[in-house]
Amino acid sequence: MLKITVIGAGSTYTPELVVGFLTRLTSLPLTELCLMDIDPQRLEIVGGFAQRIAQAHGSPFRVVLSQDLRQAIAGASYVITQFRVGMMAARRADEYLGQRHGLIGQETTGVGGIAKALRTIPVVLHIAATLAEVAPNALLLNFTNPSGLVTEALARYAPAVTAVGVCNSGITAKMQFLGLYQRIAGRTVDPDSVQLDTLGLNHLTWHRGLFVAGEQVWPQFFAAYLDELKAQAHPEWDIQTLQTLGMIPNYYLQYFYYRQRKLAAQDQWPPSRAEEVMRIEGDLLRQYADPSLTAPPAGLMQRGGAWYSTLATQVIVSHYNDLGQIHVLNTRHNGAVSGWPADWVLELPARVDAQGIHPLPAAPLPPVCFGLLAAIKMVELLTVAAAVHGDRHALYEALLVHPLGPQADQVQALLDDMLETNRAYLPQFFRA
């Protein structure tokens, strides 16, 4: 019996995941997919749709719906976490928290990412504790944002659980880069033969290499990438910065490199991104509730998260079949990057086999990147401590050190606002 459990299965992403499992039955003989969520209405809608998708393919595995965490996890070989504490209303609150303090308002980057982590980490650690009791040999794949920060908390406070942080940004970059490479090479390339050399933290990585069938093609690819940017009226990166780095930054680094541009854009709210997603999800859920619908609608792509199911299923298949495939993942690097603290969780290429997740040796980033990375890693470590212990002093320090945080004399006001806004989800900060 092979059981996979999805926690937060009321997500509109779940149908894509179901399709991913259906397309890999020959390499992943799934017998039970347990969909767990605490929201009964969303579970009924999304779960019911997932069951119809499976039925349309001959019901090769059972799709079971559950609101009971322990029951859902018991006996699972793989557990995927993809939930949002406070749901989309909390994301909207994170975005407007930043905006009203004159800061970046974003769900994973800046003060919004800290707020989300405070809500999320205690829940993830509770899930991990349950997992250790009822499915101790399971692999936990954490998609819940901020993925790297949450994985850092798991590594430090749930070391008995085998966990890996998963994010679609790496595979999305790989597929976008592959598209350009195929155009300049004039040939089609198997995506499985392509490996991205990237290093950093989740949503804070720099791409610096591209291998096709083992051959490093970065010099010609990078030159073509710059040529494409030069031809654009409004390129997303300035040429001099990329030429200086010799690398392509993760999209989220725009919040650091072009802060004023991002601040100006959020001055146009509403709608914020959360409000856009709420509209998209409302449309999707109405479609999912249609009893005649048996395949994910085209509108799902508007939700974001491209290649999500591809990455999730590839990691599981590689682990289950001991394939040793290489994927960009979030894991404690254990000395893979020389000179960096070995206990840091990083986002980097790692080999996935039946024994677990093995980060590959990687050259350290240059000082121009490491300086920012180190500051954000300190934010992560302080945020983890704050979330686990309800430590207001650690939270103050996290806000103080954050490059996108408030000025020193405004930290307390933002901290108070953050905690009060999220009071219902942060009991650890309000104990007598």
Side-chain angles (χ1 to χ4, degrees):
M1 175 179 173
L2 177 59
K3 175 181 176 180
I4 297 177
T5 298
V6 181
I7 300 174
S11 166
T12 51
Y13 286 138
T14 298
E16 181 188 354
L17 194 59
V18 175
V19 172
F21 289 132
L22 286 166
T23 59
R24 288 171 172 79
L25 286 171
T26 55
S27 55
L28 191 70
L30 181 60
T31 54
E32 180 180 327
L33 178 62
C34 183
L35 304 181
M36 184 268 166
D37 204 289
I38 62 171
D39 184 324
Q41 183 178 14
R42 287 189 69 128
L43 182 62
E44 180 183 2
I45 293 173
V46 179
F49 180 36
Q51 289 173 329
R52 294 197 303 276
I53 294 174
Q55 290 167 1
H57 288 77
S59 299
F61 51 79
R62 296 171 60 218
V63 178
V64 177
L65 311 185
S66 176
Q67 291 179 255
D68 184 287
L69 176 65
R70 180 175 291 267
Q71 180 187 63
I73 291 177
S77 298
Y78 300 93
V79 175
I80 298 172
T81 48
Q82 58 172 34
F83 61 88
R84 185 188 300 276
V85 178
M87 304 189 69
M88 200 57 65
R91 174 176 178 173
R92 178 174 56 192
D94 291 342
E95 292 171 347
Y96 281 100
L97 171 70
Q99 190 206 45
R100 66 175 169 266
H101 287 269
L103 304 170
I104 294 296
Q106 214 279 327
E107 70 158 336
T108 63
T109 300
V111 298
I114 292 177
K116 184 170 189 183
L118 295 179
R119 296 191 304 268
T120 305
I121 287 171
V123 178
V124 166
L125 293 179
H126 171 65
I127 292 170
T130 306
L131 187 64
E133 291 180 20
V134 300
N137 297 318
L139 173 63
L140 173 61
L141 292 87
N142 176 63
F143 275 93
T144 299
N145 277 323
S147 180
L149 207 166
V150 170
T151 305
E152 185 72 68
L154 285 164
R156 292 179 183 275
Y157 289 93
V161 172
T162 303
V164 62
V166 192
C167 177
N168 72 314
S169 61
I171 190 174
T172 298
K174 185 185 92 165
M175 297 307 295
Q176 290 173 344
F177 293 176
L178 176 58
L180 173 57
Y181 176 76
Q182 290 180 140
R183 293 198 298 274
I184 63 176
R187 62 188 177 94
T188 301
V189 175
D190 179 3
D192 289 341
S193 72
V194 178
Q195 182 181 332
L196 182 66
D197 180 7
T198 186
L199 181 62
L201 307 177
N202 182 234
H203 290 183
L204 198 89
T205 52
W206 290 263
H207 309 302
R208 57 188 183 176
L210 188 67
F211 293 87
V212 177
E215 178 189 358
Q216 175 66 276
V217 300
W218 187 257
Q220 56 266 48
F221 165 78
F222 188 62
Y225 185 89
L226 292 179
D227 286 341
E228 285 213 341
L229 285 182
K230 292 173 184 176
Q232 296 171 9
H234 303 286
E236 62 176 348
W237 304 105
D238 71 281
I239 302 300
Q240 186 173 2
T241 294
L242 266 59
Q243 288 176 328
T244 299
L245 291 171
M247 297 179 278
I248 300 173
N250 182 296
Y251 164 82
Y252 286 86
L253 276 155
Q254 292 186 18
Y255 291 104
F256 297 89
Y257 291 162
Y258 309 120
R259 189 182 320 177
Q260 293 306 314
R261 180 199 303 175
K262 293 296 187 180
L263 288 170
Q266 70 186 37
D267 285 342
Q268 307 305 309
W269 294 353
S272 69
R273 176 57 182 166
E275 289 164 331
E276 291 176 348
V277 172
M278 291 168 84
R279 176 189 59 79
I280 293 168
E281 285 200 328
D283 291 340
L284 286 172
L285 290 171
R286 281 189 287 274
Q287 294 179 70
Y288 290 1
D290 180 352
S292 66
L293 189 69
T294 58
L300 180 55
M301 289 301 97
Q302 299 177 39
R303 176 64 180 86
W307 305 104
Y308 161 60
S309 72
T310 300
L311 179 59
T313 52
Q314 283 180 345
V315 171
I316 292 175
V317 166
S318 187
H319 184 271
Y320 181 80
N321 294 289
D322 197 23
L323 299 180
Q325 293 178 344
I326 296 171
H327 299 285
V328 174
L329 300 168
N330 290 266
T331 186
R332 181 171 281 184
H333 76 96
N334 294 325
V337 184
S338 178
W340 291 13
D343 63 349
W344 283 4
V345 167
L346 302 176
E347 185 165 293
L348 76 172
R351 178 172 283 105
V352 182
D353 59 28
Q355 286 69 50
I357 313 298
H358 314 284
L360 301 183
L365 290 167
V368 65
C369 303
F370 182 75
L372 177 56
L373 180 146
I376 297 301
K377 178 51 72 174
M378 294 307 104
V379 172
E380 290 189 352
L381 297 180
L382 289 164
T383 300
V384 169
V388 171
H389 303 294
D391 188 338
R392 290 176 180 244
H393 183 76
L395 178 55
Y396 191 104
E397 291 184 329
L399 293 169
L400 185 63
V401 75
H402 203 307
L404 298 179
Q407 295 186 50
D409 59 355
Q410 298 170 355
V411 169
Q412 189 62 53
L414 188 141
L415 185 154
D416 292 341
D417 191 358
M418 178 184 292
L419 294 184
E420 193 58 40
T421 298
N422 293 279
R423 189 183 186 103
Y425 309 106
L426 301 178
Q428 69 270 40
F429 289 94
F430 294 96
R431 296 190 181 104

